[in-house]
Amino acid sequence: MNPIFITGIGTDVGKTIAAAVVTEALDADYWKPVQAGYATGTDTLTVGSLVSNPQTTIHPEVYKLSTPASPHIAARNEGLTIDLATIQSAAINIENGIQDKPLVIEGAGGLLVPLNEHETVADMILALRAKVILVSRNYLGSINHSLMTANCCRTYGIPVLGWIFNDDYMQYEQEIVDWTGYPSLGTIHRLEEISSSAIQALALQMKPALMKAINRTT
């Protein structure tokens, strides 16, 4: 099975919660190759605290950078260069070890966030042969950002499984589905408490749509 890559229409749109839900729903492994900024904790630790099924393994980051900035800037501040071949090699090792389980990969920011001076998150998705779930959060301007993200996927030839929507600002979901042609996999309404039980409930709701999307593109 191709890895499933969780990316968003921007920063702080709910990728990590969506990744936890998808990981829980599919009994998958989770991996965030590049973490930029961890003063308040990492996305890897967050997902590890929210996923409760015993099949999931949480894999460590390849690049764990302290600066909360675009990965290429965070790496530069630490005297490093993010190397896509190194990430590819780590992915091969993970995939060889998990056999038939899916691997959920969480990106950093959106598709065109630079990893180094020449490559972006979109290039990483292609290098990892991943299929994408797009995360959109409902806010003023999110239709534009969502359509641009979908157009970027088509330009790069990135296969898309569908959308996961976040938040409760108006009802933009069907507009985005109609304009892009990518199906909705579910909505994560604003949670009073982000807990493993909430993630379990969302995973149960979303699993049929996830499985349908995966089987459709297999």
Side-chain angles (χ1 to χ4, degrees), residues 121-143:
V121 168
D123 295 307
M124 177 165 63
I125 292 169
L126 291 171
L128 298 179
R129 303 167 291 102
K131 296 181 179 181
V132 161
I133 291 175
L134 300 172
V135 179
S136 177
R137 182 171 68 83
N138 292 333
Y139 56 83
L140 185 62
S142 67
I143 294 177

mmCIF file with all atom_site columns, all heavy atoms in Angstrom, residues 121-143:
data_model
loop_
_atom_site.group_PDB
_atom_site.id
_atom_site.type_symbol
_atom_site.label_atom_id
_atom_site.label_alt_id
_atom_site.label_comp_id
_atom_site.label_asym_id
_atom_site.label_entity_id
_atom_site.label_seq_id
_atom_site.pdbx_PDB_ins_code
_atom_site.Cartn_x
_atom_site.Cartn_y
_atom_site.Cartn_z
_atom_site.occupancy
_atom_site.B_iso_or_equiv
_atom_site.pdbx_formal_charge
_atom_site.auth_seq_id
_atom_site.auth_comp_id
_atom_site.auth_asym_id
_atom_site.auth_atom_id
_atom_site.pdbx_PDB_model_num
ATOM 1   N N   . VAL A 1 121 ? 7.624   20.373 0.022  1.00 0.00 ? 121 VAL A N   1
ATOM 2   C CA  . VAL A 1 121 ? 6.845   19.247 0.533  1.00 0.00 ? 121 VAL A CA  1
ATOM 3   C C   . VAL A 1 121 ? 6.232   18.450 -0.613 1.00 0.00 ? 121 VAL A C   1
ATOM 4   O O   . VAL A 1 121 ? 6.160   17.224 -0.562 1.00 0.00 ? 121 VAL A O   1
ATOM 5   C CB  . VAL A 1 121 ? 5.751   19.751 1.505  1.00 0.00 ? 121 VAL A CB  1
ATOM 6   C CG1 . VAL A 1 121 ? 4.746   18.646 1.826  1.00 0.00 ? 121 VAL A CG1 1
ATOM 7   C CG2 . VAL A 1 121 ? 6.389   20.283 2.792  1.00 0.00 ? 121 VAL A CG2 1
ATOM 8   N N   . ALA A 1 122 ? 5.803   19.120 -1.673 1.00 0.00 ? 122 ALA A N   1
ATOM 9   C CA  . ALA A 1 122 ? 5.254   18.408 -2.835 1.00 0.00 ? 122 ALA A CA  1
ATOM 10  C C   . ALA A 1 122 ? 6.282   17.444 -3.425 1.00 0.00 ? 122 ALA A C   1
ATOM 11  O O   . ALA A 1 122 ? 5.942   16.318 -3.814 1.00 0.00 ? 122 ALA A O   1
ATOM 12  C CB  . ALA A 1 122 ? 4.787   19.404 -3.892 1.00 0.00 ? 122 ALA A CB  1
ATOM 13  N N   . ASP A 1 123 ? 7.531   17.864 -3.499 1.00 0.00 ? 123 ASP A N   1
ATOM 14  C CA  . ASP A 1 123 ? 8.584   16.971 -3.989 1.00 0.00 ? 123 ASP A CA  1
ATOM 15  C C   . ASP A 1 123 ? 8.763   15.771 -3.069 1.00 0.00 ? 123 ASP A C   1
ATOM 16  O O   . ASP A 1 123 ? 9.019   14.653 -3.528 1.00 0.00 ? 123 ASP A O   1
ATOM 17  C CB  . ASP A 1 123 ? 9.907   17.737 -4.118 1.00 0.00 ? 123 ASP A CB  1
ATOM 18  C CG  . ASP A 1 123 ? 9.848   18.831 -5.163 1.00 0.00 ? 123 ASP A CG  1
ATOM 19  O OD1 . ASP A 1 123 ? 9.475   18.530 -6.312 1.00 0.00 ? 123 ASP A OD1 1
ATOM 20  O OD2 . ASP A 1 123 ? 10.168  19.984 -4.829 1.00 0.00 ? 123 ASP A OD2 1
ATOM 21  N N   . MET A 1 124 ? 8.627   15.985 -1.765 1.00 0.00 ? 124 MET A N   1
ATOM 22  C CA  . MET A 1 124 ? 8.743   14.877 -0.824 1.00 0.00 ? 124 MET A CA  1
ATOM 23  C C   . MET A 1 124 ? 7.607   13.877 -1.025 1.00 0.00 ? 124 MET A C   1
ATOM 24  O O   . MET A 1 124 ? 7.826   12.657 -0.989 1.00 0.00 ? 124 MET A O   1
ATOM 25  C CB  . MET A 1 124 ? 8.743   15.395 0.623  1.00 0.00 ? 124 MET A CB  1
ATOM 26  C CG  . MET A 1 124 ? 8.801   14.288 1.677  1.00 0.00 ? 124 MET A CG  1
ATOM 27  S SD  . MET A 1 124 ? 9.241   14.852 3.334  1.00 0.00 ? 124 MET A SD  1
ATOM 28  C CE  . MET A 1 124 ? 7.886   15.947 3.725  1.00 0.00 ? 124 MET A CE  1
ATOM 29  N N   . ILE A 1 125 ? 6.393   14.366 -1.240 1.00 0.00 ? 125 ILE A N   1
ATOM 30  C CA  . ILE A 1 125 ? 5.259   13.468 -1.472 1.00 0.00 ? 125 ILE A CA  1
ATOM 31  C C   . ILE A 1 125 ? 5.522   12.584 -2.683 1.00 0.00 ? 125 ILE A C   1
ATOM 32  O O   . ILE A 1 125 ? 5.298   11.369 -2.642 1.00 0.00 ? 125 ILE A O   1
ATOM 33  C CB  . ILE A 1 125 ? 3.975   14.290 -1.667 1.00 0.00 ? 125 ILE A CB  1
ATOM 34  C CG1 . ILE A 1 125 ? 3.581   14.982 -0.361 1.00 0.00 ? 125 ILE A CG1 1
ATOM 35  C CG2 . ILE A 1 125 ? 2.823   13.400 -2.161 1.00 0.00 ? 125 ILE A CG2 1
ATOM 36  C CD1 . ILE A 1 125 ? 2.490   16.018 -0.513 1.00 0.00 ? 125 ILE A CD1 1
ATOM 37  N N   . LEU A 1 126 ? 6.010   13.182 -3.762 1.00 0.00 ? 126 LEU A N   1
ATOM 38  C CA  . LEU A 1 126 ? 6.298   12.408 -4.965 1.00 0.00 ? 126 LEU A CA  1
ATOM 39  C C   . LEU A 1 126 ? 7.412   11.403 -4.721 1.00 0.00 ? 126 LEU A C   1
ATOM 40  O O   . LEU A 1 126 ? 7.339   10.251 -5.167 1.00 0.00 ? 126 LEU A O   1
ATOM 41  C CB  . LEU A 1 126 ? 6.670   13.350 -6.112 1.00 0.00 ? 126 LEU A CB  1
ATOM 42  C CG  . LEU A 1 126 ? 5.535   14.221 -6.657 1.00 0.00 ? 126 LEU A CG  1
ATOM 43  C CD1 . LEU A 1 126 ? 6.086   15.247 -7.633 1.00 0.00 ? 126 LEU A CD1 1
ATOM 44  C CD2 . LEU A 1 126 ? 4.464   13.366 -7.323 1.00 0.00 ? 126 LEU A CD2 1
ATOM 45  N N   . ALA A 1 127 ? 8.442   11.819 -4.000 1.00 0.00 ? 127 ALA A N   1
ATOM 46  C CA  . ALA A 1 127 ? 9.569   10.919 -3.728 1.00 0.00 ? 127 ALA A CA  1
ATOM 47  C C   . ALA A 1 127 ? 9.149   9.733  -2.876 1.00 0.00 ? 127 ALA A C   1
ATOM 48  O O   . ALA A 1 127 ? 9.696   8.626  -3.021 1.00 0.00 ? 127 ALA A O   1
ATOM 49  C CB  . ALA A 1 127 ? 10.694  11.695 -3.028 1.00 0.00 ? 127 ALA A CB  1
ATOM 50  N N   . LEU A 1 128 ? 8.159   9.938  -2.006 1.00 0.00 ? 128 LEU A N   1
ATOM 51  C CA  . LEU A 1 128 ? 7.691   8.872  -1.119 1.00 0.00 ? 128 LEU A CA  1
ATOM 52  C C   . LEU A 1 128 ? 6.555   8.055  -1.739 1.00 0.00 ? 128 LEU A C   1
ATOM 53  O O   . LEU A 1 128 ? 6.032   7.145  -1.109 1.00 0.00 ? 128 LEU A O   1
ATOM 54  C CB  . LEU A 1 128 ? 7.236   9.462  0.218  1.00 0.00 ? 128 LEU A CB  1
ATOM 55  C CG  . LEU A 1 128 ? 8.321   10.183 1.024  1.00 0.00 ? 128 LEU A CG  1
ATOM 56  C CD1 . LEU A 1 128 ? 7.742   10.750 2.313  1.00 0.00 ? 128 LEU A CD1 1
ATOM 57  C CD2 . LEU A 1 128 ? 9.495   9.266  1.330  1.00 0.00 ? 128 LEU A CD2 1
ATOM 58  N N   . ARG A 1 129 ? 6.161   8.375  -2.967 1.00 0.00 ? 129 ARG A N   1
ATOM 59  C CA  . ARG A 1 129 ? 5.110   7.646  -3.694 1.00 0.00 ? 129 ARG A CA  1
ATOM 60  C C   . ARG A 1 129 ? 3.808   7.620  -2.891 1.00 0.00 ? 129 ARG A C   1
ATOM 61  O O   . ARG A 1 129 ? 3.098   6.620  -2.852 1.00 0.00 ? 129 ARG A O   1
ATOM 62  C CB  . ARG A 1 129 ? 5.538   6.213  -4.016 1.00 0.00 ? 129 ARG A CB  1
ATOM 63  C CG  . ARG A 1 129 ? 6.811   6.093  -4.823 1.00 0.00 ? 129 ARG A CG  1
ATOM 64  C CD  . ARG A 1 129 ? 7.351   4.673  -4.845 1.00 0.00 ? 129 ARG A CD  1
ATOM 65  N NE  . ARG A 1 129 ? 7.857   4.277  -3.528 1.00 0.00 ? 129 ARG A NE  1
ATOM 66  C CZ  . ARG A 1 129 ? 7.198   3.501  -2.694 1.00 0.00 ? 129 ARG A CZ  1
ATOM 67  N NH1 . ARG A 1 129 ? 6.003   3.026  -3.004 1.00 0.00 ? 129 ARG A NH1 1
ATOM 68  N NH2 . ARG A 1 129 ? 7.733   3.187  -1.516 1.00 0.00 ? 129 ARG A NH2 1
ATOM 69  N N   . ALA A 1 130 ? 3.501   8.732  -2.266 1.00 0.00 ? 130 ALA A N   1
ATOM 70  C CA  . ALA A 1 130 ? 2.368   8.783  -1.354 1.00 0.00 ? 130 ALA A CA  1
ATOM 71  C C   . ALA A 1 130 ? 1.099   9.272  -2.051 1.00 0.00 ? 130 ALA A C   1
ATOM 72  O O   . ALA A 1 130 ? 1.156   9.981  -3.063 1.00 0.00 ? 130 ALA A O   1
ATOM 73  C CB  . ALA A 1 130 ? 2.688   9.699  -0.178 1.00 0.00 ? 130 ALA A CB  1
ATOM 74  N N   . LYS A 1 131 ? -0.019  8.861  -1.486 1.00 0.00 ? 131 LYS A N   1
ATOM 75  C CA  . LYS A 1 131 ? -1.309  9.425  -1.840 1.00 0.00 ? 131 LYS A CA  1
ATOM 76  C C   . LYS A 1 131 ? -1.718  10.393 -0.735 1.00 0.00 ? 131 LYS A C   1
ATOM 77  O O   . LYS A 1 131 ? -1.411  10.158 0.435  1.00 0.00 ? 131 LYS A O   1
ATOM 78  C CB  . LYS A 1 131 ? -2.348  8.327  -2.022 1.00 0.00 ? 131 LYS A CB  1
ATOM 79  C CG  . LYS A 1 131 ? -2.005  7.397  -3.185 1.00 0.00 ? 131 LYS A CG  1
ATOM 80  C CD  . LYS A 1 131 ? -3.043  6.320  -3.380 1.00 0.00 ? 131 LYS A CD  1
ATOM 81  C CE  . LYS A 1 131 ? -2.662  5.431  -4.568 1.00 0.00 ? 131 LYS A CE  1
ATOM 82  N NZ  . LYS A 1 131 ? -3.676  4.364  -4.815 1.00 0.00 ? 131 LYS A NZ  1
ATOM 83  N N   . VAL A 1 132 ? -2.403  11.454 -1.131 1.00 0.00 ? 132 VAL A N   1
ATOM 84  C CA  . VAL A 1 132 ? -2.582  12.585 -0.224 1.00 0.00 ? 132 VAL A CA  1
ATOM 85  C C   . VAL A 1 132 ? -4.011  12.696 0.289  1.00 0.00 ? 132 VAL A C   1
ATOM 86  O O   . VAL A 1 132 ? -4.971  12.455 -0.442 1.00 0.00 ? 132 VAL A O   1
ATOM 87  C CB  . VAL A 1 132 ? -2.174  13.894 -0.952 1.00 0.00 ? 132 VAL A CB  1
ATOM 88  C CG1 . VAL A 1 132 ? -2.743  15.116 -0.270 1.00 0.00 ? 132 VAL A CG1 1
ATOM 89  C CG2 . VAL A 1 132 ? -0.662  14.006 -1.026 1.00 0.00 ? 132 VAL A CG2 1
ATOM 90  N N   . ILE A 1 133 ? -4.112  13.033 1.566  1.00 0.00 ? 133 ILE A N   1
ATOM 91  C CA  . ILE A 1 133 ? -5.353  13.546 2.131  1.00 0.00 ? 133 ILE A CA  1
ATOM 92  C C   . ILE A 1 133 ? -5.124  15.025 2.421  1.00 0.00 ? 133 ILE A C   1
ATOM 93  O O   . ILE A 1 133 ? -4.161  15.395 3.098  1.00 0.00 ? 133 ILE A O   1
ATOM 94  C CB  . ILE A 1 133 ? -5.757  12.797 3.412  1.00 0.00 ? 133 ILE A CB  1
ATOM 95  C CG1 . ILE A 1 133 ? -6.175  11.365 3.073  1.00 0.00 ? 133 ILE A CG1 1
ATOM 96  C CG2 . ILE A 1 133 ? -6.899  13.521 4.127  1.00 0.00 ? 133 ILE A CG2 1
ATOM 97  C CD1 . ILE A 1 133 ? -6.486  10.507 4.284  1.00 0.00 ? 133 ILE A CD1 1
ATOM 98  N N   . LEU A 1 134 ? -6.008  15.853 1.883  1.00 0.00 ? 134 LEU A N   1
ATOM 99  C CA  . LEU A 1 134 ? -5.899  17.301 2.054  1.00 0.00 ? 134 LEU A CA  1
ATOM 100 C C   . LEU A 1 134 ? -6.748  17.740 3.237  1.00 0.00 ? 134 LEU A C   1
ATOM 101 O O   . LEU A 1 134 ? -7.910  17.341 3.360  1.00 0.00 ? 134 LEU A O   1
ATOM 102 C CB  . LEU A 1 134 ? -6.384  18.013 0.792  1.00 0.00 ? 134 LEU A CB  1
ATOM 103 C CG  . LEU A 1 134 ? -5.631  17.694 -0.498 1.00 0.00 ? 134 LEU A CG  1
ATOM 104 C CD1 . LEU A 1 134 ? -6.354  18.316 -1.692 1.00 0.00 ? 134 LEU A CD1 1
ATOM 105 C CD2 . LEU A 1 134 ? -4.198  18.186 -0.424 1.00 0.00 ? 134 LEU A CD2 1
ATOM 106 N N   . VAL A 1 135 ? -6.166  18.564 4.090  1.00 0.00 ? 135 VAL A N   1
ATOM 107 C CA  . VAL A 1 135 ? -6.884  19.068 5.264  1.00 0.00 ? 135 VAL A CA  1
ATOM 108 C C   . VAL A 1 135 ? -7.185  20.545 5.052  1.00 0.00 ? 135 VAL A C   1
ATOM 109 O O   . VAL A 1 135 ? -6.285  21.346 4.768  1.00 0.00 ? 135 VAL A O   1
ATOM 110 C CB  . VAL A 1 135 ? -6.057  18.882 6.552  1.00 0.00 ? 135 VAL A CB  1
ATOM 111 C CG1 . VAL A 1 135 ? -6.819  19.429 7.758  1.00 0.00 ? 135 VAL A CG1 1
ATOM 112 C CG2 . VAL A 1 135 ? -5.725  17.405 6.755  1.00 0.00 ? 135 VAL A CG2 1
ATOM 113 N N   . SER A 1 136 ? -8.460  20.893 5.173  1.00 0.00 ? 136 SER A N   1
ATOM 114 C CA  . SER A 1 136 ? -8.900  22.277 5.019  1.00 0.00 ? 136 SER A CA  1
ATOM 115 C C   . SER A 1 136 ? -9.627  22.700 6.282  1.00 0.00 ? 136 SER A C   1
ATOM 116 O O   . SER A 1 136 ? -10.459 21.957 6.797  1.00 0.00 ? 136 SER A O   1
ATOM 117 C CB  . SER A 1 136 ? -9.835  22.407 3.814  1.00 0.00 ? 136 SER A CB  1
ATOM 118 O OG  . SER A 1 136 ? -10.332 23.737 3.693  1.00 0.00 ? 136 SER A OG  1
ATOM 119 N N   . ARG A 1 137 ? -9.300  23.873 6.769  1.00 0.00 ? 137 ARG A N   1
ATOM 120 C CA  . ARG A 1 137 ? -10.035 24.422 7.923  1.00 0.00 ? 137 ARG A CA  1
ATOM 121 C C   . ARG A 1 137 ? -10.942 25.536 7.431  1.00 0.00 ? 137 ARG A C   1
ATOM 122 O O   . ARG A 1 137 ? -10.540 26.374 6.616  1.00 0.00 ? 137 ARG A O   1
ATOM 123 C CB  . ARG A 1 137 ? -9.062  24.957 8.977  1.00 0.00 ? 137 ARG A CB  1
ATOM 124 C CG  . ARG A 1 137 ? -9.762  25.493 10.224 1.00 0.00 ? 137 ARG A CG  1
ATOM 125 C CD  . ARG A 1 137 ? -8.768  25.799 11.328 1.00 0.00 ? 137 ARG A CD  1
ATOM 126 N NE  . ARG A 1 137 ? -7.910  26.916 11.016 1.00 0.00 ? 137 ARG A NE  1
ATOM 127 C CZ  . ARG A 1 137 ? -8.245  28.203 11.198 1.00 0.00 ? 137 ARG A CZ  1
ATOM 128 N NH1 . ARG A 1 137 ? -9.443  28.531 11.651 1.00 0.00 ? 137 ARG A NH1 1
ATOM 129 N NH2 . ARG A 1 137 ? -7.388  29.153 10.894 1.00 0.00 ? 137 ARG A NH2 1
ATOM 130 N N   . ASN A 1 138 ? -12.176 25.565 7.899  1.00 0.00 ? 138 ASN A N   1
ATOM 131 C CA  . ASN A 1 138 ? -13.149 26.561 7.460  1.00 0.00 ? 138 ASN A CA  1
ATOM 132 C C   . ASN A 1 138 ? -12.825 27.925 8.064  1.00 0.00 ? 138 ASN A C   1
ATOM 133 O O   . ASN A 1 138 ? -12.915 28.119 9.275  1.00 0.00 ? 138 ASN A O   1
ATOM 134 C CB  . ASN A 1 138 ? -14.565 26.142 7.882  1.00 0.00 ? 138 ASN A CB  1
ATOM 135 C CG  . ASN A 1 138 ? -15.039 24.914 7.139  1.00 0.00 ? 138 ASN A CG  1
ATOM 136 O OD1 . ASN A 1 138 ? -14.598 24.656 6.023  1.00 0.00 ? 138 ASN A OD1 1
ATOM 137 N ND2 . ASN A 1 138 ? -15.930 24.155 7.743  1.00 0.00 ? 138 ASN A ND2 1
ATOM 138 N N   . TYR A 1 139 ? -12.457 28.866 7.217  1.00 0.00 ? 139 TYR A N   1
ATOM 139 C CA  . TYR A 1 139 ? -12.244 30.247 7.637  1.00 0.00 ? 139 TYR A CA  1
ATOM 140 C C   . TYR A 1 139 ? -12.405 31.121 6.399  1.00 0.00 ? 139 TYR A C   1
ATOM 141 O O   . TYR A 1 139 ? -12.436 30.617 5.262  1.00 0.00 ? 139 TYR A O   1
ATOM 142 C CB  . TYR A 1 139 ? -10.849 30.446 8.253  1.00 0.00 ? 139 TYR A CB  1
ATOM 143 C CG  . TYR A 1 139 ? -9.695  30.043 7.367  1.00 0.00 ? 139 TYR A CG  1
ATOM 144 C CD1 . TYR A 1 139 ? -9.195  30.892 6.387  1.00 0.00 ? 139 TYR A CD1 1
ATOM 145 C CD2 . TYR A 1 139 ? -9.095  28.790 7.502  1.00 0.00 ? 139 TYR A CD2 1
ATOM 146 C CE1 . TYR A 1 139 ? -8.137  30.513 5.569  1.00 0.00 ? 139 TYR A CE1 1
ATOM 147 C CE2 . TYR A 1 139 ? -8.046  28.406 6.697  1.00 0.00 ? 139 TYR A CE2 1
ATOM 148 C CZ  . TYR A 1 139 ? -7.566  29.277 5.728  1.00 0.00 ? 139 TYR A CZ  1
ATOM 149 O OH  . TYR A 1 139 ? -6.529  28.895 4.920  1.00 0.00 ? 139 TYR A OH  1
ATOM 150 N N   . LEU A 1 140 ? -12.536 32.407 6.583  1.00 0.00 ? 140 LEU A N   1
ATOM 151 C CA  . LEU A 1 140 ? -12.681 33.319 5.460  1.00 0.00 ? 140 LEU A CA  1
ATOM 152 C C   . LEU A 1 140 ? -11.416 33.264 4.607  1.00 0.00 ? 140 LEU A C   1
ATOM 153 O O   . LEU A 1 140 ? -10.321 33.581 5.084  1.00 0.00 ? 140 LEU A O   1
ATOM 154 C CB  . LEU A 1 140 ? -12.919 34.742 5.971  1.00 0.00 ? 140 LEU A CB  1
ATOM 155 C CG  . LEU A 1 140 ? -13.211 35.796 4.903  1.00 0.00 ? 140 LEU A CG  1
ATOM 156 C CD1 . LEU A 1 140 ? -14.493 35.438 4.151  1.00 0.00 ? 140 LEU A CD1 1
ATOM 157 C CD2 . LEU A 1 140 ? -13.333 37.174 5.539  1.00 0.00 ? 140 LEU A CD2 1
ATOM 158 N N   . GLY A 1 141 ? -11.544 32.823 3.369  1.00 0.00 ? 141 GLY A N   1
ATOM 159 C CA  . GLY A 1 141 ? -10.394 32.658 2.485  1.00 0.00 ? 141 GLY A CA  1
ATOM 160 C C   . GLY A 1 141 ? -10.017 31.215 2.238  1.00 0.00 ? 141 GLY A C   1
ATOM 161 O O   . GLY A 1 141 ? -9.176  30.926 1.387  1.00 0.00 ? 141 GLY A O   1
ATOM 162 N N   . SER A 1 142 ? -10.660 30.299 2.973  1.00 0.00 ? 142 SER A N   1
ATOM 163 C CA  . SER A 1 142 ? -10.229 28.902 2.845  1.00 0.00 ? 142 SER A CA  1
ATOM 164 C C   . SER A 1 142 ? -10.643 28.271 1.524  1.00 0.00 ? 142 SER A C   1
ATOM 165 O O   . SER A 1 142 ? -10.006 27.321 1.071  1.00 0.00 ? 142 SER A O   1
ATOM 166 C CB  . SER A 1 142 ? -10.766 28.059 4.013  1.00 0.00 ? 142 SER A CB  1
ATOM 167 O OG  . SER A 1 142 ? -12.171 27.933 3.962  1.00 0.00 ? 142 SER A OG  1
ATOM 168 N N   . ILE A 1 143 ? -11.693 28.775 0.890  1.00 0.00 ? 143 ILE A N   1
ATOM 169 C CA  . ILE A 1 143 ? -12.048 28.236 -0.425 1.00 0.00 ? 143 ILE A CA  1
ATOM 170 C C   . ILE A 1 143 ? -10.911 28.504 -1.403 1.00 0.00 ? 143 ILE A C   1
ATOM 171 O O   . ILE A 1 143 ? -10.463 27.606 -2.129 1.00 0.00 ? 143 ILE A O   1
ATOM 172 C CB  . ILE A 1 143 ? -13.373 28.835 -0.939 1.00 0.00 ? 143 ILE A CB  1
ATOM 173 C CG1 . ILE A 1 143 ? -14.537 28.395 -0.051 1.00 0.00 ? 143 ILE A CG1 1
ATOM 174 C CG2 . ILE A 1 143 ? -13.616 28.402 -2.384 1.00 0.00 ? 143 ILE A CG2 1
ATOM 175 C CD1 . ILE A 1 143 ? -15.867 29.011 -0.456 1.00 0.00 ? 143 ILE A CD1 1
#
